[in-house]
Amino acid sequence: PDGLLTESRLGLTAPDASGLASHLRQLADSDAVWRGYSNRGREYSVANHSVDRAMPRFEEVFRAALTGTRGSA
């Protein structure tokens, strides 16, 4: 819905079953395409969801919960 998958080439979206089947065939038929999506997905996950990256956000939420205030999270 936000375009992240397609804009960043992290994945494929399909409006219907036929589109999904087409994308699955594309991935199954091309090792290079499969590896490209896989590598970009892994890189995105590490850059945005690693413990070092995510923990400050969790800490902010936990502190806000303990103090009864709302942070920017």
Side-chain angles (χ1 to χ4, degrees):
D2 65 1
L4 176 67
L5 289 178
T6 54
E7 290 170 12
S8 300
R9 298 191 65 222
L10 297 172
L12 301 164
T13 61
D16 54 33
S18 175
L20 177 60
S22 175
H23 289 321
L24 290 172
R25 278 191 298 277
Q26 180 184 5
L27 293 169
D29 290 346
S30 174
D31 190 53
V33 171
W34 171 264
R35 286 179 193 260
Y37 282 110
S38 178
N39 290 337
R40 285 187 298 275
R42 185 178 301 107
E43 290 167 3
Y44 178 86
S45 293
V46 169
N48 293 281
H49 301 293
S50 67
V51 172
D52 291 340
R53 177 85 169 159
M55 193 49 67
R57 289 180 272 175
F58 279 108
E59 290 172 352
E60 183 179 323
V61 170
F62 295 151
R63 280 194 188 95
L66 289 172
T67 62
T69 61
R70 284 190 83 155
S72 61

